[in-house]
mmCIF file with all atom_site columns, all heavy atoms in Angstrom:
data_model
loop_
_atom_site.group_PDB
_atom_site.id
_atom_site.type_symbol
_atom_site.label_atom_id
_atom_site.label_alt_id
_atom_site.label_comp_id
_atom_site.label_asym_id
_atom_site.label_entity_id
_atom_site.label_seq_id
_atom_site.pdbx_PDB_ins_code
_atom_site.Cartn_x
_atom_site.Cartn_y
_atom_site.Cartn_z
_atom_site.occupancy
_atom_site.B_iso_or_equiv
_atom_site.pdbx_formal_charge
_atom_site.auth_seq_id
_atom_site.auth_comp_id
_atom_site.auth_asym_id
_atom_site.auth_atom_id
_atom_site.pdbx_PDB_model_num
ATOM 1   N N   . VAL O 1 1  ? 0.880   -1.172 0.000   1.00 82.00 ? 1  VAL O N   1
ATOM 2   C CA  . VAL O 1 1  ? 0.000   0.000  0.000   1.00 82.00 ? 1  VAL O CA  1
ATOM 3   C C   . VAL O 1 1  ? 0.907   1.209  0.000   1.00 82.00 ? 1  VAL O C   1
ATOM 4   O O   . VAL O 1 1  ? 1.757   1.355  0.881   1.00 82.00 ? 1  VAL O O   1
ATOM 5   C CB  . VAL O 1 1  ? -0.926  0.018  1.243   1.00 82.00 ? 1  VAL O CB  1
ATOM 6   C CG1 . VAL O 1 1  ? -1.745  1.285  1.280   1.00 82.00 ? 1  VAL O CG1 1
ATOM 7   C CG2 . VAL O 1 1  ? -1.820  -1.197 1.252   1.00 82.00 ? 1  VAL O CG2 1
ATOM 8   N N   . CYS O 1 2  ? 0.747   2.089  -1.002  1.00 84.00 ? 2  CYS O N   1
ATOM 9   C CA  . CYS O 1 2  ? 1.613   3.254  -1.128  1.00 84.00 ? 2  CYS O CA  1
ATOM 10  C C   . CYS O 1 2  ? 0.827   4.537  -0.898  1.00 84.00 ? 2  CYS O C   1
ATOM 11  O O   . CYS O 1 2  ? -0.321  4.659  -1.318  1.00 84.00 ? 2  CYS O O   1
ATOM 12  C CB  . CYS O 1 2  ? 2.263   3.293  -2.502  1.00 84.00 ? 2  CYS O CB  1
ATOM 13  S SG  . CYS O 1 2  ? 3.409   1.935  -2.777  1.00 84.00 ? 2  CYS O SG  1
ATOM 14  N N   . CYS O 1 3  ? 1.470   5.478  -0.236  1.00 85.00 ? 3  CYS O N   1
ATOM 15  C CA  . CYS O 1 3  ? 0.865   6.785  0.022   1.00 85.00 ? 3  CYS O CA  1
ATOM 16  C C   . CYS O 1 3  ? 0.863   7.596  -1.274  1.00 85.00 ? 3  CYS O C   1
ATOM 17  O O   . CYS O 1 3  ? 1.904   7.719  -1.919  1.00 85.00 ? 3  CYS O O   1
ATOM 18  C CB  . CYS O 1 3  ? 1.656   7.516  1.104   1.00 85.00 ? 3  CYS O CB  1
ATOM 19  S SG  . CYS O 1 3  ? 1.073   9.189  1.422   1.00 85.00 ? 3  CYS O SG  1
ATOM 20  N N   . PRO O 1 4  ? -0.281  8.174  -1.668  1.00 84.00 ? 4  PRO O N   1
ATOM 21  C CA  . PRO O 1 4  ? -0.319  8.966  -2.901  1.00 84.00 ? 4  PRO O CA  1
ATOM 22  C C   . PRO O 1 4  ? 0.398   10.312 -2.768  1.00 84.00 ? 4  PRO O C   1
ATOM 23  O O   . PRO O 1 4  ? 0.716   10.938 -3.767  1.00 84.00 ? 4  PRO O O   1
ATOM 24  C CB  . PRO O 1 4  ? -1.811  9.159  -3.162  1.00 84.00 ? 4  PRO O CB  1
ATOM 25  C CG  . PRO O 1 4  ? -2.473  8.971  -1.845  1.00 84.00 ? 4  PRO O CG  1
ATOM 26  C CD  . PRO O 1 4  ? -1.605  8.044  -1.057  1.00 84.00 ? 4  PRO O CD  1
ATOM 27  N N   . ARG O 1 5  ? 0.688   10.719 -1.541  1.00 85.00 ? 5  ARG O N   1
ATOM 28  C CA  . ARG O 1 5  ? 1.317   12.026 -1.330  1.00 85.00 ? 5  ARG O CA  1
ATOM 29  C C   . ARG O 1 5  ? 2.838   11.945 -1.299  1.00 85.00 ? 5  ARG O C   1
ATOM 30  O O   . ARG O 1 5  ? 3.520   12.681 -1.977  1.00 85.00 ? 5  ARG O O   1
ATOM 31  C CB  . ARG O 1 5  ? 0.799   12.629 -0.031  1.00 85.00 ? 5  ARG O CB  1
ATOM 32  C CG  . ARG O 1 5  ? 1.319   14.008 0.239   1.00 85.00 ? 5  ARG O CG  1
ATOM 33  C CD  . ARG O 1 5  ? 0.617   14.635 1.415   1.00 85.00 ? 5  ARG O CD  1
ATOM 34  N NE  . ARG O 1 5  ? 1.183   15.928 1.701   1.00 85.00 ? 5  ARG O NE  1
ATOM 35  C CZ  . ARG O 1 5  ? 1.415   16.372 2.904   1.00 85.00 ? 5  ARG O CZ  1
ATOM 36  N NH1 . ARG O 1 5  ? 1.103   15.640 3.955   1.00 85.00 ? 5  ARG O NH1 1
ATOM 37  N NH2 . ARG O 1 5  ? 1.931   17.553 3.097   1.00 85.00 ? 5  ARG O NH2 1
ATOM 38  N N   . CYS O 1 6  ? 3.375   11.018 -0.483  1.00 88.00 ? 6  CYS O N   1
ATOM 39  C CA  . CYS O 1 6  ? 4.830   10.970 -0.309  1.00 88.00 ? 6  CYS O CA  1
ATOM 40  C C   . CYS O 1 6  ? 5.465   9.693  -0.829  1.00 88.00 ? 6  CYS O C   1
ATOM 41  O O   . CYS O 1 6  ? 6.667   9.516  -0.716  1.00 88.00 ? 6  CYS O O   1
ATOM 42  C CB  . CYS O 1 6  ? 5.193   11.166 1.164   1.00 88.00 ? 6  CYS O CB  1
ATOM 43  S SG  . CYS O 1 6  ? 4.794   9.741  2.210   1.00 88.00 ? 6  CYS O SG  1
ATOM 44  N N   . SER O 1 7  ? 4.658   8.786  -1.380  1.00 82.00 ? 7  SER O N   1
ATOM 45  C CA  . SER O 1 7  ? 5.118   7.520  -1.949  1.00 82.00 ? 7  SER O CA  1
ATOM 46  C C   . SER O 1 7  ? 5.696   6.547  -0.928  1.00 82.00 ? 7  SER O C   1
ATOM 47  O O   . SER O 1 7  ? 6.405   5.617  -1.291  1.00 82.00 ? 7  SER O O   1
ATOM 48  C CB  . SER O 1 7  ? 6.133   7.768  -3.071  1.00 82.00 ? 7  SER O CB  1
ATOM 49  O OG  . SER O 1 7  ? 5.537   8.531  -4.091  1.00 82.00 ? 7  SER O OG  1
ATOM 50  N N   . PHE O 1 8  ? 5.420   6.742  0.351   1.00 84.00 ? 8  PHE O N   1
ATOM 51  C CA  . PHE O 1 8  ? 5.809   5.770  1.371   1.00 84.00 ? 8  PHE O CA  1
ATOM 52  C C   . PHE O 1 8  ? 5.002   4.499  1.139   1.00 84.00 ? 8  PHE O C   1
ATOM 53  O O   . PHE O 1 8  ? 3.808   4.556  0.891   1.00 84.00 ? 8  PHE O O   1
ATOM 54  C CB  . PHE O 1 8  ? 5.530   6.345  2.771   1.00 84.00 ? 8  PHE O CB  1
ATOM 55  C CG  . PHE O 1 8  ? 5.713   5.351  3.888   1.00 84.00 ? 8  PHE O CG  1
ATOM 56  C CD1 . PHE O 1 8  ? 6.967   5.031  4.341   1.00 84.00 ? 8  PHE O CD1 1
ATOM 57  C CD2 . PHE O 1 8  ? 4.615   4.733  4.458   1.00 84.00 ? 8  PHE O CD2 1
ATOM 58  C CE1 . PHE O 1 8  ? 7.138   4.119  5.380   1.00 84.00 ? 8  PHE O CE1 1
ATOM 59  C CE2 . PHE O 1 8  ? 4.774   3.815  5.490   1.00 84.00 ? 8  PHE O CE2 1
ATOM 60  C CZ  . PHE O 1 8  ? 6.043   3.508  5.953   1.00 84.00 ? 8  PHE O CZ  1
ATOM 61  N N   . CYS O 1 9  ? 5.650   3.340  1.206   1.00 84.00 ? 9  CYS O N   1
ATOM 62  C CA  . CYS O 1 9  ? 4.967   2.070  0.967   1.00 84.00 ? 9  CYS O CA  1
ATOM 63  C C   . CYS O 1 9  ? 5.086   1.167  2.185   1.00 84.00 ? 9  CYS O C   1
ATOM 64  O O   . CYS O 1 9  ? 6.105   1.179  2.879   1.00 84.00 ? 9  CYS O O   1
ATOM 65  C CB  . CYS O 1 9  ? 5.554   1.359  -0.249  1.00 84.00 ? 9  CYS O CB  1
ATOM 66  S SG  . CYS O 1 9  ? 5.182   2.191  -1.794  1.00 84.00 ? 9  CYS O SG  1
ATOM 67  N N   . ILE O 1 10 ? 4.039   0.425  2.436   1.00 79.00 ? 10 ILE O N   1
ATOM 68  C CA  . ILE O 1 10 ? 4.024   -0.536 3.528   1.00 79.00 ? 10 ILE O CA  1
ATOM 69  C C   . ILE O 1 10 ? 3.497   -1.857 2.974   1.00 79.00 ? 10 ILE O C   1
ATOM 70  O O   . ILE O 1 10 ? 2.532   -1.863 2.212   1.00 79.00 ? 10 ILE O O   1
ATOM 71  C CB  . ILE O 1 10 ? 3.166   -0.025 4.712   1.00 79.00 ? 10 ILE O CB  1
ATOM 72  C CG1 . ILE O 1 10 ? 3.255   -0.964 5.897   1.00 79.00 ? 10 ILE O CG1 1
ATOM 73  C CG2 . ILE O 1 10 ? 1.742   0.190  4.311   1.00 79.00 ? 10 ILE O CG2 1
ATOM 74  C CD1 . ILE O 1 10 ? 2.658   -0.386 7.175   1.00 79.00 ? 10 ILE O CD1 1
ATOM 75  N N   . PRO O 1 11 ? 4.138   -2.977 3.310   1.00 80.00 ? 11 PRO O N   1
ATOM 76  C CA  . PRO O 1 11 ? 3.655   -4.268 2.803   1.00 80.00 ? 11 PRO O CA  1
ATOM 77  C C   . PRO O 1 11 ? 2.278   -4.611 3.373   1.00 80.00 ? 11 PRO O C   1
ATOM 78  O O   . PRO O 1 11 ? 1.978   -4.327 4.525   1.00 80.00 ? 11 PRO O O   1
ATOM 79  C CB  . PRO O 1 11 ? 4.703   -5.265 3.299   1.00 80.00 ? 11 PRO O CB  1
ATOM 80  C CG  . PRO O 1 11 ? 5.876   -4.454 3.709   1.00 80.00 ? 11 PRO O CG  1
ATOM 81  C CD  . PRO O 1 11 ? 5.378   -3.090 4.041   1.00 80.00 ? 11 PRO O CD  1
ATOM 82  N N   . VAL O 1 12 ? 1.431   -5.214 2.551   1.00 72.00 ? 12 VAL O N   1
ATOM 83  C CA  . VAL O 1 12 ? 0.089   -5.598 2.972   1.00 72.00 ? 12 VAL O CA  1
ATOM 84  C C   . VAL O 1 12 ? 0.166   -6.613 4.109   1.00 72.00 ? 12 VAL O C   1
ATOM 85  O O   . VAL O 1 12 ? -0.710  -6.660 4.972   1.00 72.00 ? 12 VAL O O   1
ATOM 86  C CB  . VAL O 1 12 ? -0.718  -6.151 1.775   1.00 72.00 ? 12 VAL O CB  1
ATOM 87  C CG1 . VAL O 1 12 ? -2.054  -6.711 2.215   1.00 72.00 ? 12 VAL O CG1 1
ATOM 88  C CG2 . VAL O 1 12 ? -0.929  -5.065 0.744   1.00 72.00 ? 12 VAL O CG2 1
ATOM 89  N N   . ALA O 1 13 ? 1.240   -7.394 4.153   1.00 68.00 ? 13 ALA O N   1
ATOM 90  C CA  . ALA O 1 13 ? 1.403   -8.395 5.208   1.00 68.00 ? 13 ALA O CA  1
ATOM 91  C C   . ALA O 1 13 ? 1.385   -7.749 6.593   1.00 68.00 ? 13 ALA O C   1
ATOM 92  O O   . ALA O 1 13 ? 0.923   -8.350 7.567   1.00 68.00 ? 13 ALA O O   1
ATOM 93  C CB  . ALA O 1 13 ? 2.690   -9.170 5.002   1.00 68.00 ? 13 ALA O CB  1
ATOM 94  N N   . GLU O 1 14 ? 1.867   -6.500 6.715   1.00 60.00 ? 14 GLU O N   1
ATOM 95  C CA  . GLU O 1 14 ? 1.879   -5.819 8.009   1.00 60.00 ? 14 GLU O CA  1
ATOM 96  C C   . GLU O 1 14 ? 0.487   -5.369 8.436   1.00 60.00 ? 14 GLU O C   1
ATOM 97  O O   . GLU O 1 14 ? 0.250   -5.142 9.608   1.00 60.00 ? 14 GLU O O   1
ATOM 98  C CB  . GLU O 1 14 ? 2.826   -4.613 7.967   1.00 60.00 ? 14 GLU O CB  1
ATOM 99  C CG  . GLU O 1 14 ? 4.277   -5.017 7.899   1.00 60.00 ? 14 GLU O CG  1
ATOM 100 C CD  . GLU O 1 14 ? 5.204   -3.824 8.014   1.00 60.00 ? 14 GLU O CD  1
ATOM 101 O OE1 . GLU O 1 14 ? 4.821   -2.825 8.666   1.00 60.00 ? 14 GLU O OE1 1
ATOM 102 O OE2 . GLU O 1 14 ? 6.301   -3.902 7.451   1.00 60.00 ? 14 GLU O OE2 1
ATOM 103 N N   . ILE O 1 15 ? -0.432  -5.212 7.480   1.00 58.00 ? 15 ILE O N   1
ATOM 104 C CA  . ILE O 1 15 ? -1.793  -4.822 7.834   1.00 58.00 ? 15 ILE O CA  1
ATOM 105 C C   . ILE O 1 15 ? -2.771  -5.965 7.624   1.00 58.00 ? 15 ILE O C   1
ATOM 106 O O   . ILE O 1 15 ? -3.968  -5.778 7.672   1.00 58.00 ? 15 ILE O O   1
ATOM 107 C CB  . ILE O 1 15 ? -2.281  -3.580 7.037   1.00 58.00 ? 15 ILE O CB  1
ATOM 108 C CG1 . ILE O 1 15 ? -1.741  -3.541 5.631   1.00 58.00 ? 15 ILE O CG1 1
ATOM 109 C CG2 . ILE O 1 15 ? -2.047  -2.316 7.736   1.00 58.00 ? 15 ILE O CG2 1
ATOM 110 C CD1 . ILE O 1 15 ? -2.204  -2.357 4.829   1.00 58.00 ? 15 ILE O CD1 1
ATOM 111 N N   . SER O 1 16 ? -2.247  -7.166 7.435   1.00 56.00 ? 16 SER O N   1
ATOM 112 C CA  . SER O 1 16 ? -3.134  -8.292 7.150   1.00 56.00 ? 16 SER O CA  1
ATOM 113 C C   . SER O 1 16 ? -3.975  -8.690 8.356   1.00 56.00 ? 16 SER O C   1
ATOM 114 O O   . SER O 1 16 ? -4.969  -9.382 8.208   1.00 56.00 ? 16 SER O O   1
ATOM 115 C CB  . SER O 1 16 ? -2.328  -9.487 6.646   1.00 56.00 ? 16 SER O CB  1
ATOM 116 O OG  . SER O 1 16 ? -1.445  -9.929 7.668   1.00 56.00 ? 16 SER O OG  1
ATOM 117 N N   . GLY O 1 17 ? -3.626  -8.252 9.548   1.00 63.00 ? 17 GLY O N   1
ATOM 118 C CA  . GLY O 1 17 ? -4.421  -8.565 10.731  1.00 63.00 ? 17 GLY O CA  1
ATOM 119 C C   . GLY O 1 17 ? -5.715  -7.779 10.795  1.00 63.00 ? 17 GLY O C   1
ATOM 120 O O   . GLY O 1 17 ? -6.606  -8.093 11.577  1.00 63.00 ? 17 GLY O O   1
ATOM 121 N N   . GLN O 1 18 ? -5.839  -6.728 9.977   1.00 62.00 ? 18 GLN O N   1
ATOM 122 C CA  . GLN O 1 18 ? -7.052  -5.907 9.980   1.00 62.00 ? 18 GLN O CA  1
ATOM 123 C C   . GLN O 1 18 ? -8.019  -6.421 8.922   1.00 62.00 ? 18 GLN O C   1
ATOM 124 O O   . GLN O 1 18 ? -7.620  -6.859 7.850   1.00 62.00 ? 18 GLN O O   1
ATOM 125 C CB  . GLN O 1 18 ? -6.721  -4.448 9.677   1.00 62.00 ? 18 GLN O CB  1
ATOM 126 C CG  . GLN O 1 18 ? -5.916  -3.772 10.747  1.00 62.00 ? 18 GLN O CG  1
ATOM 127 C CD  . GLN O 1 18 ? -5.735  -2.293 10.412  1.00 62.00 ? 18 GLN O CD  1
ATOM 128 O OE1 . GLN O 1 18 ? -6.081  -1.837 9.345   1.00 62.00 ? 18 GLN O OE1 1
ATOM 129 N NE2 . GLN O 1 18 ? -5.182  -1.572 11.360  1.00 62.00 ? 18 GLN O NE2 1
ATOM 130 N N   . GLU O 1 19 ? -9.281  -6.383 9.254   1.00 65.00 ? 19 GLU O N   1
ATOM 131 C CA  . GLU O 1 19 ? -10.321 -6.752 8.304   1.00 65.00 ? 19 GLU O CA  1
ATOM 132 C C   . GLU O 1 19 ? -10.837 -5.479 7.654   1.00 65.00 ? 19 GLU O C   1
ATOM 133 O O   . GLU O 1 19 ? -11.165 -4.511 8.337   1.00 65.00 ? 19 GLU O O   1
ATOM 134 C CB  . GLU O 1 19 ? -11.458 -7.460 9.048   1.00 65.00 ? 19 GLU O CB  1
ATOM 135 C CG  . GLU O 1 19 ? -12.212 -8.420 8.187   1.00 65.00 ? 19 GLU O CG  1
ATOM 136 C CD  . GLU O 1 19 ? -13.165 -9.253 9.011   1.00 65.00 ? 19 GLU O CD  1
ATOM 137 O OE1 . GLU O 1 19 ? -12.708 -9.952 9.928   1.00 65.00 ? 19 GLU O OE1 1
ATOM 138 O OE2 . GLU O 1 19 ? -14.371 -9.167 8.715   1.00 65.00 ? 19 GLU O OE2 1
ATOM 139 N N   . ILE O 1 20 ? -10.882 -5.451 6.343   1.00 61.00 ? 20 ILE O N   1
ATOM 140 C CA  . ILE O 1 20 ? -11.283 -4.253 5.612   1.00 61.00 ? 20 ILE O CA  1
ATOM 141 C C   . ILE O 1 20 ? -12.585 -4.534 4.882   1.00 61.00 ? 20 ILE O C   1
ATOM 142 O O   . ILE O 1 20 ? -12.701 -5.513 4.153   1.00 61.00 ? 20 ILE O O   1
ATOM 143 C CB  . ILE O 1 20 ? -10.189 -3.832 4.611   1.00 61.00 ? 20 ILE O CB  1
ATOM 144 C CG1 . ILE O 1 20 ? -8.899  -3.510 5.359   1.00 61.00 ? 20 ILE O CG1 1
ATOM 145 C CG2 . ILE O 1 20 ? -10.655 -2.646 3.785   1.00 61.00 ? 20 ILE O CG2 1
ATOM 146 C CD1 . ILE O 1 20 ? -7.719  -3.275 4.463   1.00 61.00 ? 20 ILE O CD1 1
ATOM 147 N N   . HIS O 1 21 ? -13.568 -3.677 5.118   1.00 63.00 ? 21 HIS O N   1
ATOM 148 C CA  . HIS O 1 21 ? -14.863 -3.768 4.450   1.00 63.00 ? 21 HIS O CA  1
ATOM 149 C C   . HIS O 1 21 ? -15.144 -2.439 3.765   1.00 63.00 ? 21 HIS O C   1
ATOM 150 O O   . HIS O 1 21 ? -14.813 -1.383 4.298   1.00 63.00 ? 21 HIS O O   1
ATOM 151 C CB  . HIS O 1 21 ? -15.998 -4.036 5.452   1.00 63.00 ? 21 HIS O CB  1
ATOM 152 C CG  . HIS O 1 21 ? -15.868 -5.322 6.185   1.00 63.00 ? 21 HIS O CG  1
ATOM 153 N ND1 . HIS O 1 21 ? -16.251 -6.523 5.647   1.00 63.00 ? 21 HIS O ND1 1
ATOM 154 C CD2 . HIS O 1 21 ? -15.384 -5.596 7.423   1.00 63.00 ? 21 HIS O CD2 1
ATOM 155 C CE1 . HIS O 1 21 ? -16.018 -7.486 6.520   1.00 63.00 ? 21 HIS O CE1 1
ATOM 156 N NE2 . HIS O 1 21 ? -15.488 -6.953 7.612   1.00 63.00 ? 21 HIS O NE2 1
ATOM 157 N N   . SER O 1 22 ? -15.741 -2.499 2.598   1.00 63.00 ? 22 SER O N   1
ATOM 158 C CA  . SER O 1 22 ? -16.162 -1.267 1.940   1.00 63.00 ? 22 SER O CA  1
ATOM 159 C C   . SER O 1 22 ? -17.576 -1.462 1.416   1.00 63.00 ? 22 SER O C   1
ATOM 160 O O   . SER O 1 22 ? -17.953 -2.558 1.006   1.00 63.00 ? 22 SER O O   1
ATOM 161 C CB  . SER O 1 22 ? -15.213 -0.892 0.803   1.00 63.00 ? 22 SER O CB  1
ATOM 162 O OG  . SER O 1 22 ? -15.235 -1.872 -0.200  1.00 63.00 ? 22 SER O OG  1
ATOM 163 N N   . THR O 1 23 ? -18.358 -0.395 1.459   1.00 72.00 ? 23 THR O N   1
ATOM 164 C CA  . THR O 1 23 ? -19.750 -0.429 1.031   1.00 72.00 ? 23 THR O CA  1
ATOM 165 C C   . THR O 1 23 ? -20.032 0.804  0.182   1.00 72.00 ? 23 THR O C   1
ATOM 166 O O   . THR O 1 23 ? -19.589 1.901  0.519   1.00 72.00 ? 23 THR O O   1
ATOM 167 C CB  . THR O 1 23 ? -20.691 -0.423 2.251   1.00 72.00 ? 23 THR O CB  1
ATOM 168 O OG1 . THR O 1 23 ? -20.323 -1.490 3.114   1.00 72.00 ? 23 THR O OG1 1
ATOM 169 C CG2 . THR O 1 23 ? -22.130 -0.580 1.836   1.00 72.00 ? 23 THR O CG2 1
ATOM 170 N N   . VAL O 1 24 ? -20.753 0.601  -0.894  1.00 72.00 ? 24 VAL O N   1
ATOM 171 C CA  . VAL O 1 24 ? -21.188 1.712  -1.728  1.00 72.00 ? 24 VAL O CA  1
ATOM 172 C C   . VAL O 1 24 ? -22.672 1.902  -1.494  1.00 72.00 ? 24 VAL O C   1
ATOM 173 O O   . VAL O 1 24 ? -23.459 0.970  -1.659  1.00 72.00 ? 24 VAL O O   1
ATOM 174 C CB  . VAL O 1 24 ? -20.903 1.437  -3.220  1.00 72.00 ? 24 VAL O CB  1
ATOM 175 C CG1 . VAL O 1 24 ? -21.428 2.569  -4.079  1.00 72.00 ? 24 VAL O CG1 1
ATOM 176 C CG2 . VAL O 1 24 ? -19.424 1.223  -3.451  1.00 72.00 ? 24 VAL O CG2 1
ATOM 177 N N   . ILE O 1 25 ? -23.061 3.114  -1.077  1.00 77.00 ? 25 ILE O N   1
ATOM 178 C CA  . ILE O 1 25 ? -24.464 3.420  -0.816  1.00 77.00 ? 25 ILE O CA  1
ATOM 179 C C   . ILE O 1 25 ? -24.884 4.521  -1.774  1.00 77.00 ? 25 ILE O C   1
ATOM 180 O O   . ILE O 1 25 ? -24.288 5.596  -1.793  1.00 77.00 ? 25 ILE O O   1
ATOM 181 C CB  . ILE O 1 25 ? -24.674 3.875  0.647   1.00 77.00 ? 25 ILE O CB  1
ATOM 182 C CG1 . ILE O 1 25 ? -24.252 2.762  1.590   1.00 77.00 ? 25 ILE O CG1 1
ATOM 183 C CG2 . ILE O 1 25 ? -26.118 4.275  0.875   1.00 77.00 ? 25 ILE O CG2 1
ATOM 184 C CD1 . ILE O 1 25 ? -24.249 3.160  3.048   1.00 77.00 ? 25 ILE O CD1 1
ATOM 185 N N   . PHE O 1 26 ? -25.889 4.232  -2.573  1.00 77.00 ? 26 PHE O N   1
ATOM 186 C CA  . PHE O 1 26 ? -26.403 5.221  -3.502  1.00 77.00 ? 26 PHE O CA  1
ATOM 187 C C   . PHE O 1 26 ? -27.584 5.943  -2.874  1.00 77.00 ? 26 PHE O C   1
ATOM 188 O O   . PHE O 1 26 ? -28.454 5.326  -2.274  1.00 77.00 ? 26 PHE O O   1
ATOM 189 C CB  . PHE O 1 26 ? -26.850 4.548  -4.805  1.00 77.00 ? 26 PHE O CB  1
ATOM 190 C CG  . PHE O 1 26 ? -25.712 3.939  -5.582  1.00 77.00 ? 26 PHE O CG  1
ATOM 191 C CD1 . PHE O 1 26 ? -25.451 2.579  -5.506  1.00 77.00 ? 26 PHE O CD1 1
ATOM 192 C CD2 . PHE O 1 26 ? -24.902 4.730  -6.361  1.00 77.00 ? 26 PHE O CD2 1
ATOM 193 C CE1 . PHE O 1 26 ? -24.408 2.028  -6.208  1.00 77.00 ? 26 PHE O CE1 1
ATOM 194 C CE2 . PHE O 1 26 ? -23.846 4.184  -7.061  1.00 77.00 ? 26 PHE O CE2 1
ATOM 195 C CZ  . PHE O 1 26 ? -23.596 2.835  -6.995  1.00 77.00 ? 26 PHE O CZ  1
ATOM 196 N N   . SER O 1 27 ? -27.609 7.254  -3.025  1.00 74.00 ? 27 SER O N   1
ATOM 197 C CA  . SER O 1 27 ? -28.730 8.050  -2.538  1.00 74.00 ? 27 SER O CA  1
ATOM 198 C C   . SER O 1 27 ? -29.916 7.829  -3.472  1.00 74.00 ? 27 SER O C   1
ATOM 199 O O   . SER O 1 27 ? -29.738 7.617  -4.670  1.00 74.00 ? 27 SER O O   1
ATOM 200 C CB  . SER O 1 27 ? -28.376 9.533  -2.517  1.00 74.00 ? 27 SER O CB  1
ATOM 201 O OG  . SER O 1 27 ? -27.284 9.747  -1.664  1.00 74.00 ? 27 SER O OG  1
ATOM 202 N N   . PRO O 1 28 ? -31.143 7.894  -2.920  1.00 75.00 ? 28 PRO O N   1
ATOM 203 C CA  . PRO O 1 28 ? -32.307 7.731  -3.808  1.00 75.00 ? 28 PRO O CA  1
ATOM 204 C C   . PRO O 1 28 ? -32.372 8.881  -4.802  1.00 75.00 ? 28 PRO O C   1
ATOM 205 O O   . PRO O 1 28 ? -32.031 10.015 -4.479  1.00 75.00 ? 28 PRO O O   1
ATOM 206 C CB  . PRO O 1 28 ? -33.498 7.741  -2.851  1.00 75.00 ? 28 PRO O CB  1
ATOM 207 C CG  . PRO O 1 28 ? -32.997 8.369  -1.604  1.00 75.00 ? 28 PRO O CG  1
ATOM 208 C CD  . PRO O 1 28 ? -31.521 8.116  -1.541  1.00 75.00 ? 28 PRO O CD  1
ATOM 209 N N   . MET O 1 29 ? -32.779 8.558  -5.995  1.00 68.00 ? 29 MET O N   1
ATOM 210 C CA  . MET O 1 29 ? -32.863 9.564  -7.043  1.00 68.00 ? 29 MET O CA  1
ATOM 211 C C   . MET O 1 29 ? -34.001 10.532 -6.744  1.00 68.00 ? 29 MET O C   1
ATOM 212 O O   . MET O 1 29 ? -35.119 10.109 -6.467  1.00 68.00 ? 29 MET O O   1
ATOM 213 C CB  . MET O 1 29 ? -33.105 8.874  -8.381  1.00 68.00 ? 29 MET O CB  1
ATOM 214 C CG  . MET O 1 29 ? -32.514 9.576  -9.525  1.00 68.00 ? 29 MET O CG  1
ATOM 215 S SD  . MET O 1 29 ? -32.590 8.464  -10.926 1.00 68.00 ? 29 MET O SD  1
ATOM 216 C CE  . MET O 1 29 ? -32.707 9.662  -12.190 1.00 68.00 ? 29 MET O CE  1
ATOM 217 N N   . GLU O 1 30 ? -33.704 11.826 -6.756  1.00 62.00 ? 30 GLU O N   1
ATOM 218 C CA  . GLU O 1 30 ? -34.737 12.830 -6.501  1.00 62.00 ? 30 GLU O CA  1
ATOM 219 C C   . GLU O 1 30 ? -35.644 12.952 -7.719  1.00 62.00 ? 30 GLU O C   1
ATOM 220 O O   . GLU O 1 30 ? -35.236 12.697 -8.844  1.00 62.00 ? 30 GLU O O   1
ATOM 221 C CB  . GLU O 1 30 ? -34.091 14.188 -6.227  1.00 62.00 ? 30 GLU O CB  1
ATOM 222 C CG  . GLU O 1 30 ? -33.301 14.229 -4.942  1.00 62.00 ? 30 GLU O CG  1
ATOM 223 C CD  . GLU O 1 30 ? -32.714 15.611 -4.701  1.00 62.00 ? 30 GLU O CD  1
ATOM 224 O OE1 . GLU O 1 30 ? -33.243 16.593 -5.244  1.00 62.00 ? 30 GLU O OE1 1
ATOM 225 O OE2 . GLU O 1 30 ? -31.745 15.685 -3.958  1.00 62.00 ? 30 GLU O OE2 1
#
């Protein structure tokens, strides 16, 4: 995972203990 600002990178293995969830919620159409 690389920072878009300073290009610092960290291996995913170091954050593999965290569970990551993402959800897309659409607003109702007016």
Side-chain angles (χ1 to χ4, degrees):
V1 176
C2 294
C3 176
R5 184 171 177 221
C6 72
S7 300
F8 172 78
C9 291
I10 185 169
V12 173
E14 290 186 29
I15 35 180
S16 64
Q18 293 185 352
E19 208 171 301
I20 299 172
H21 298 279
S22 63
T23 306
V24 177
I25 299 173
F26 294 99
S27 299
M29 211 168 151
E30 293 182 23

